[in-house]
Amino acid sequence: MEERFKGIGASPGIGIGKVVLLERKEPRFVYEFLLKESEVKKEVERFKKAVDEVKKEFKQLIKNLKKTPFKEVKQIIETYISILSDPLLFKTTIHCIKEEKVNAEWALAKSLEGIEKIFGEIEDDYLKQRVQDVHYVVNRILTKLQSRQEISRQVPAQSVIVAYDLSPPEMTRFLSGEVVGFVSETGGRTSHTAIVAQALKLPAVLGAKEISQKVKVGELIIVDGLSGEVIVNPLSDTLKKYQEKQKKYKEYCQEIEHFAFLPAQTLDGYTLKVMANVELFEEIPSILNAGAEGIGLFRTEFFYLQQKELPDEETLYEYYAKVVKAMAPYPVTFRTLDLGGDKLSSALEFTPALNPALGLRAIRFCLKQKDIFRTQLRALLRASAHGQIRILLPLISGLEEIKETKEFLEKLKAELKVSGYPVASHIPLGIMVEVPSAVTLIEFLAKEVDFLSIGTNDLIQYTLAIDRGNEQVAYLYEPLHPAVLRMIYTIVETARKLRLPVSVCGEVAGDPIYTPILVGMGINEISLNAQNIALIKKTIRSISFQEVRELVKELINMGSVKEIKQCYLNIVQNWFKETLEDILTERISLVYEGKT
């Protein structure tokens, strides 16, 4: 009987094959109280041995990947190795075994709970998804502790890998071409599983609840990474429909590939820059190959999260300079540290906040922790001698934060010059506009900086008072809400009068559904995940600036989401029918129904 599962389309494409099941559910184990001190010592040694075995396994994987083009995967596995020795995991587990006299599995699960709590308080969706990395590492240790049997790397041709949880190292075991798709119950669009599936150019649906418990090995399965749907034992009509959709998608990808290196110019000559969002240096080759015209958002906090201790100025300088040189002659926009309040790593100690999203984070944290901010800014200023850099300040809510940062920057520049370090004569300074107070004050804030970057994820969340991670209200998260559109319009119009460039770097920037409205607003730059650059450029090249400009003027005078959707999506659907075919018209239907 045909059965359908709904998840998150994490990597586009259509995969049709037979189920290969890795894990049906989360590992289970029982609580064991250790009566004797000798048992405690033995349990600690058993845990350390399991960790060592996993570490050796990861190092072997890195060695195996040396001759492959998947540098992203190698970097992810190195992150796993650092997680293995992170005090929050390693020392806490040993402490729990010794103090509470419990078995290693139970102590490890307790450490994981503590880490989950920390990640649960993070607002940034990308960083929040990193807890999946910890889950995977813990699962690997449990596999060693419980001596669970692992699947062979040999799988039949046309296999779809289904698992409760799926990790990049597991995915790299199937590089020989037999696998045509991935499905898991955990993970999201910004998880490492999604990133690796995209690098492998294989469709993936993540977050498909209970699927690993309901499918059987060898069953026919369809993975639709475009809509997030998984179909098990499809009827003949369904199979035929998806075979046709698979064929069209392949043709479509071949057709749009060359758009990656064409200018992002509308039919009537309005040109935007299309850049990439980046977290790691290792992503640079892939974004350049995808046609990125620079880095519109470099999330500097990710490098900090990889360190066991706070990085010093020299370490940061070398890292930033390496990024700048690799991207030359294109610009790199470094967003200063966007951490705090979340107590993300053992290197940063804070008092837990009741509401971290509104607490000591981003620019507030940096201005409070001047020593940390000083180290990062000095490293960035020194890196400016090697190419075009821009400095972007996150979560600006008032004028004082900009002025204090500018004074601090000038002081640091003077210090560096006295010490003989070369610094670029002009380094553009910009702000993330992502809270309502910044929009209200945009006329004042914009006069203090060189560019604006709209962070749509936070702007929507703070404007509509919605926690995107709360399933009860997630449906209210709406990029086409009239309040959101009016805010973006206000920002762009103010910037236009002051001749300041404006970019958008949230999820909206990477979704072609919203490209016409961003172009019509007058946005100058879009920064997105590199995978969609060709598609976004094709979309831009298929629309008229004057037409979308008139459309935007009409939309911002509407007062309801329903009214805006009826007007906007109907028009966009007609455009896409002629230019982007039904690959995107299906997605428009999902947006219209509020299902994505």
Side-chain angles (χ1 to χ4, degrees):
M1 187 178 73
E2 179 174 298
E3 194 170 5
R4 292 177 181 248
F5 297 84
K6 187 65 183 169
I8 298 164
S11 180
I14 310 293
I16 302 173
K18 298 288 181 67
V19 170
V20 170
L21 197 55
L22 289 192
E23 289 275 352
R24 281 194 182 276
K25 57 185 179 180
E26 286 183 279
R28 302 287 181 198
F29 41 83
V30 296
Y31 172 89
E32 291 178 28
F33 182 71
L34 308 174
L35 293 172
K36 300 176 183 174
E37 194 57 36
S38 60
E39 291 176 330
V40 172
K41 285 183 181 174
K42 197 180 286 182
E43 203 63 9
V44 170
E45 291 308 312
R46 192 167 75 90
F47 171 69
K48 286 181 177 176
K49 185 184 173 195
V51 171
D52 284 342
E53 287 176 5
V54 176
K55 196 175 287 181
K56 282 179 190 169
E57 185 180 280
F58 286 158
K59 285 182 177 176
Q60 185 59 45
L61 273 171
I62 290 175
K63 197 175 171 184
N64 295 343
L65 287 167
K66 270 188 178 172
K67 293 182 181 176
T68 72
F70 305 113
K71 292 182 180 175
E72 299 95 338
V73 182
K74 181 173 167 285
Q75 182 69 36
I76 291 167
I77 297 171
E78 284 171 349
T79 303
Y80 290 162
I81 292 173
S82 68
I83 291 172
L84 280 170
S85 54
D86 191 296
L88 284 172
L89 186 75
F90 188 74
K91 285 188 178 176
T92 305
T93 301
I94 292 175
H95 180 78
C96 185
I97 295 171
K98 288 180 177 176
E99 295 301 312
E100 299 187 25
K101 301 186 187 306
V102 294
N103 54 320
E105 291 91 334
W106 194 267
L108 184 59
K110 199 168 176 183
S111 300
L112 178 61
E113 277 179 18
I115 296 170
E116 281 177 334
K117 190 178 175 187
I118 292 168
F119 275 86
E121 293 171 348
I122 301 171
E123 287 300 309
D124 185 294
D125 190 51
Y126 179 84
L127 295 176
K128 201 168 194 157
Q129 290 285 339
R130 301 285 73 79
V131 77
Q132 294 296 333
D133 300 335
V134 185
H135 272 274
Y136 174 70
V137 171
V138 168
N139 200 20
R140 292 306 305 160
I141 300 172
L142 287 172
T143 301
K144 300 296 178 189
L145 286 170
Q146 299 179 323
S147 301
R148 281 185 276 144
Q149 192 176 2
E150 298 182 51
I151 190 171
S152 161
R153 72 170 58 214
Q154 298 299 324
V155 294
Q158 299 294 301
S159 293
V160 171
I161 305 298
V162 180
Y164 172 79
D165 192 12
L166 195 56
S167 74
E170 281 173 334
M171 295 163 83
T172 60
R173 293 162 59 194
F174 309 108
L175 297 179
S176 52
E178 292 90 354
V179 173
V180 295
F182 296 103
V183 181
S184 76
E185 292 191 30
T186 62
R189 280 198 183 92
T190 54
S191 66
H192 277 149
T193 307
I195 292 168
V196 173
Q198 291 162 16
L200 296 174
K201 296 185 177 176
L202 288 174
V205 173
L206 309 182
K209 301 296 181 194
E210 299 185 347
I211 191 165
S212 69
Q213 298 171 52
K214 295 191 174 178
V215 295
K216 294 175 184 170
V217 174
E219 285 183 319
L220 187 62
I221 185 170
I222 298 171
V223 186
D224 185 345
L226 296 161
S227 69
E229 193 159 34
V230 180
I231 304 163
V232 181
N233 293 322
L235 297 171
S236 58
D237 286 350
T238 306
L239 181 60
K240 192 175 173 185
K241 175 189 161 190
Y242 274 91
Q243 285 171 333
E244 185 60 28
K245 188 174 179 181
Q246 185 183 47
K247 183 184 166 195
K248 277 189 177 179
Y249 183 73
K250 284 180 181 173
E251 291 171 354
Y252 171 74
C253 288
Q254 289 169 355
E255 181 198 326
I256 68 165
E257 205 170 295
H258 72 284
F259 282 93
F261 297 97
L262 294 178
Q265 190 174 64
T266 63
L267 294 170
D268 47 354
Y270 183 76
T271 305
L272 295 85
K273 280 187 181 173
V274 179
M275 301 191 178
N277 295 339
V278 169
E279 289 80 35
L280 296 166
F281 169 79
E282 284 71 16
E283 295 174 63
I284 290 176
S286 62
I287 71 159
L288 290 173
N289 287 336
E293 300 166 87
I295 295 178
L297 175 66
F298 193 100
R299 296 180 170 105
T300 59
E301 56 274 13
F302 198 77
F303 183 72
Y304 281 75
L305 290 171
Q306 291 183 311
Q307 312 302 310
K308 292 176 188 171
E309 296 177 349
L310 283 173
D312 59 22
E313 180 183 319
E314 203 59 29
T315 304
L316 288 173
Y317 158 70
E318 287 175 5
Y319 187 69
Y320 297 151
K322 189 167 70 167
V323 172
V324 173
K325 287 174 187 173
M327 282 302 297
Y330 298 114
V332 181
T333 310
F334 288 100
R335 183 178 69 183
T336 56
L337 198 56
D338 191 3
L339 287 180
D342 308 305
K343 202 179 173 183
L344 278 174
S345 82
S346 51
L348 297 170
E349 295 292 339
F350 290 91
T351 303
L354 287 175
N355 193 341
L358 306 179
L360 187 64
R361 52 168 290 218
I363 191 66
R364 300 166 188 178
F365 162 73
C366 289
L367 292 175
K368 189 97 173 175
Q369 298 285 343
K370 281 279 182 69
D371 287 345
I372 295 174
F373 201 22
R374 170 193 171 86
T375 302
Q376 182 177 42
L377 289 180
R378 278 179 59 99
L380 285 171
L381 291 172
R382 289 174 60 191
S384 72
H386 301 285
Q388 289 189 63
I389 79 160
R390 305 189 293 192
I391 296 177
L392 181 60
L393 308 177
L395 206 73
I396 291 292
S397 59
L399 203 51
E400 290 76 9
E401 291 163 335
I402 302 175
K403 288 189 172 179
E404 188 175 347
T405 303
K406 286 175 73 174
E407 285 176 16
F408 196 40
L409 267 171
E410 290 307 313
K411 182 183 169 188
L412 296 178
K413 279 181 192 173
E415 281 179 9
L416 288 169
K417 283 179 184 172
V418 169
S419 303
Y421 290 110
V423 175
S425 57
H426 176 65
I427 303 169
L429 179 70
I431 57 169
M432 293 283 293
V433 186
E434 50 192 341
V435 297
S437 67
V439 181
T440 307
L441 296 172
I442 195 64
E443 189 179 339
F444 300 98
L445 305 185
K447 289 175 182 171
E448 295 291 330
V449 295
D450 302 298
F451 67 97
L452 303 174
S453 180
I454 304 174
T456 50
N457 298 352
D458 275 349
L459 184 61
I460 295 168
Q461 178 165 262
Y462 289 125
T463 300
L464 303 181
I466 291 166
D467 178 359
R468 285 187 299 158
N470 185 334
E471 293 179 0
Q472 303 295 318
V473 296
Y475 71 97
L476 292 170
Y477 184 85
E478 179 52 75
L480 292 177
H481 193 287
V484 174
L485 295 188
R486 283 183 174 226
M487 283 196 167
I488 296 175
Y489 188 79
T490 299
I491 298 164
V492 179
E493 282 301 294
T494 304
R496 186 178 62 79
K497 288 172 189 170
L498 295 171
R499 298 180 181 276
L500 285 187
V502 185
S503 69
V504 172
C505 61
E507 284 178 21
V508 166
D511 192 331
I513 302 296
Y514 304 109
T515 303
I517 208 165
L518 294 180
V519 173
M521 288 277 187
I523 295 293
N524 307 102
E525 295 175 5
I526 292 175
S527 190
L528 61 147
N529 291 332
Q531 181 195 9
N532 274 359
I533 286 178
L535 178 56
I536 294 297
K537 284 190 177 180
K538 176 175 167 72
T539 308
I540 291 170
R541 292 177 66 85
S542 67
I543 58 180
S544 155
F545 175 70
Q546 286 306 322
E547 280 187 35
V548 291
R549 185 74 180 156
E550 291 305 314
L551 176 59
V552 164
K553 286 179 182 174
E554 195 177 339
L555 295 176
I556 60 166
N557 285 308
M558 295 178 181
S560 78
V561 174
K562 185 177 178 183
E563 193 180 7
I564 289 172
K565 281 189 171 180
Q566 280 178 341
C567 175
Y568 179 66
L569 294 179
N570 284 336
I571 291 173
V572 171
Q573 190 164 23
N574 286 332
W575 286 338
F576 285 175
K577 269 181 183 172
E578 294 173 6
T579 58
L580 300 174
E581 301 178 354
D582 54 359
I583 296 295
L584 285 177
T585 54
E586 180 180 330
R587 174 147 169 69
I588 288 174
S589 301
L590 294 172
V591 172
Y592 192 82
E593 293 164 14
K595 292 181 179 176
T596 184

